[in-house]
Amino acid sequence: MNYRKYSEALKDKYGEKVYKIPINLPISCPNRDGRIGTGGCIFCGEIGTGFEAQSSILSVKEQLHNNIEIISPKYNAHKFIAYFQNYTNTYMALDAFEKVLNEACIENIIGISVSTRPDCISKPYLEVLKAISMAKKVDIEIELGLQSVNVNTLEIINRGHGLAEFIEAVLLIKSYGFTICTHLIGNLPWDTERDFYEGAKLINVLGVDSVKVHSLYILKDTILGTWYENDAFDMISPETYIDRVIHFLRLLKPTVVVQRLFGRAPEEDTLFCNWEMSWRKLQNQLDSKMTKCNYMQGDLYTTEKIVSGGQI
């Protein structure tokens, strides 16, 4: 295995297959509702990123039971992670947050994953997560959307936060002992290769546990979609993207778990997604090239600098 895949890491930890079940709540984000901005990130559609999730009208338990009934017999899976995926899941009243977390602690749920923003992390919410983790005996993972380490790019895409907020959030979460997954987009038009590679180095330095790398997809009826239709930026080629991601993986500490390397979105909702190829085909190309060239995750990573004669 050329890099540490999420499915294998879960199997190593829990002794069998574990599946992540998405949960969709009727919530929003502070850069959508006017608190810090409007419209959300320029790539985010009206339904957010919950393409594979069930309707937010359903209760948390209903969503989990419905998905488990499908997945369990199909994949012979018996352990699951409840994944609060869509929008900003710590951007709700604290009592409501505690309520939905408790509702997710049904039979065979061994973990809870909470997707949120770096600027929406605070001690009261982490205290609730800690209490539920201890009471319900479930592992806690927090997914932080960063997308880019370049603060100018963050401003362009209307993230509503900078790099410092991400670093602060990681340090606070780590103090509670939770694992962290960071989201990065590998081909934002305003990022250089260096920006993306710095993302790998930042993950290493901060001790982030896992990463989701997304290839940028462009949804209809978004600001980014309008820019794309007006040829306001250029997209790199799939070959360049694959080479960029491979180099990212080679810089990444070997212990970091890789949850994803390509984005996915329904074809009918997109103007651009994975260069009109399936993500699986691109994934196979990347895996094949890493094997052919004998590249491994972390083979460019070093844990220490050699100091000699006062110079580094």
Side-chain angles (χ1 to χ4, degrees):
M1 185 165 56
N2 300 89
Y3 53 92
R4 193 168 181 223
K5 295 183 179 180
Y6 186 50
S7 58
E8 294 301 319
L10 289 175
K11 192 172 183 179
D12 290 343
K13 182 175 182 178
Y14 296 105
E16 60 183 278
K17 290 181 181 179
V18 178
Y19 278 82
K20 222 170 185 178
I21 307 293
I23 297 170
N24 187 14
L25 299 179
I27 55 177
S28 186
C29 295
N31 65 337
R32 295 182 68 92
D33 66 5
R35 180 175 174 183
I36 63 172
T38 58
C41 300
I42 63 172
F43 50 75
C44 189
E46 285 301 315
I47 63 170
T49 57
F51 300 112
E52 298 172 336
Q54 298 199 12
S55 171
S56 63
I57 297 175
L58 299 175
S59 71
V60 170
K61 287 185 178 181
E62 286 176 318
Q63 293 183 52
L64 287 171
H65 282 303
N66 290 347
N67 274 316
I68 288 173
E69 283 182 5
I70 297 171
I71 290 172
S72 184
K74 185 175 182 180
Y75 298 105
N76 193 29
H78 305 288
K79 292 181 180 178
F80 304 92
I81 295 171
Y83 179 24
F84 291 88
Q85 176 186 19
N86 210 14
Y87 295 122
T88 303
N89 288 276
T90 54
Y91 190 57
M92 67 176 87
L94 189 60
D95 57 346
F97 181 65
E98 184 174 12
K99 181 176 182 291
V100 296
L101 291 176
N102 276 306
E103 288 177 0
C105 295
I106 63 174
E107 186 180 5
N108 297 328
I109 293 294
I110 48 82
I112 293 176
S113 181
V114 178
S115 180
T116 187
R117 293 164 51 90
D119 56 347
C120 289
I121 292 293
S122 63
K123 288 183 178 181
Y125 290 81
L126 295 175
E127 291 288 350
V128 166
L129 283 165
K130 189 72 173 181
I132 288 176
S133 174
M134 296 176 66
K136 304 293 186 177
K137 308 299 182 186
V138 293
D139 294 324
I140 302 294
E141 174 191 66
I142 297 180
E143 295 200 9
L144 289 177
L146 175 59
Q147 316 312 348
S148 171
V149 302
N150 186 318
V151 292
N152 297 309
T153 299
L154 293 177
E155 185 173 355
I156 291 170
I157 65 177
N158 196 39
R159 281 297 294 175
H161 66 76
L163 183 59
E165 288 87 348
F166 171 78
I167 296 171
E168 183 180 26
V170 169
L171 295 177
L172 182 57
I173 294 165
K174 280 292 180 180
S175 73
Y176 281 80
F178 303 143
T179 58
I180 300 172
C181 174
T182 294
H183 291 228
L184 290 169
I185 297 175
N187 58 329
L188 283 165
W190 308 277
D191 273 2
T192 64
E193 288 184 4
R194 176 69 180 274
D195 291 325
F196 186 48
Y197 301 153
E198 284 297 305
K201 296 176 184 179
L202 184 66
I203 286 170
N204 293 340
V205 168
L206 292 177
V208 170
D209 303 277
S210 64
V211 63
K212 280 185 179 178
V213 176
H214 301 264
S215 48
L216 181 64
Y217 56 77
I218 302 173
L219 295 173
K220 299 174 182 177
D221 301 319
T222 60
I223 295 172
L224 185 64
T226 299
W227 292 359
Y228 177 75
E229 291 178 313
N230 291 331
D231 296 320
F233 57 86
D234 296 321
M235 298 291 288
I236 63 174
S237 69
E239 293 79 15
T240 300
Y241 179 82
I242 287 173
D243 287 343
R244 185 178 290 188
V245 172
I246 288 174
H247 192 75
F248 176 94
L249 291 171
R250 297 181 70 198
L251 291 168
L252 199 63
K253 191 184 297 186
T255 54
V256 177
V257 175
V258 179
Q259 293 203 26
R260 177 173 287 184
L261 294 175
F262 294 90
R264 308 176 204 174
E267 183 178 345
E268 63 272 15
D269 295 327
T270 59
L271 297 170
F272 174 91
C273 185
N274 291 331
W275 300 271
E276 298 186 353
M277 289 185 278
S278 73
W279 71 268
R280 177 62 68 185
K281 179 179 180 180
L282 292 167
Q283 181 78 60
N284 290 340
Q285 290 179 7
L286 183 147
D287 292 346
S288 177
K289 185 163 187 175
M290 288 195 75
T291 299
K292 180 180 179 181
C293 298
N294 199 30
Y295 293 144
M296 300 293 294
Q297 178 180 336
D299 62 13
L300 296 179
Y301 168 76
T302 179
T303 58
E304 60 183 7
K305 297 180 176 68
I306 299 174
V307 182
S308 176
Q311 295 182 341
I312 296 178

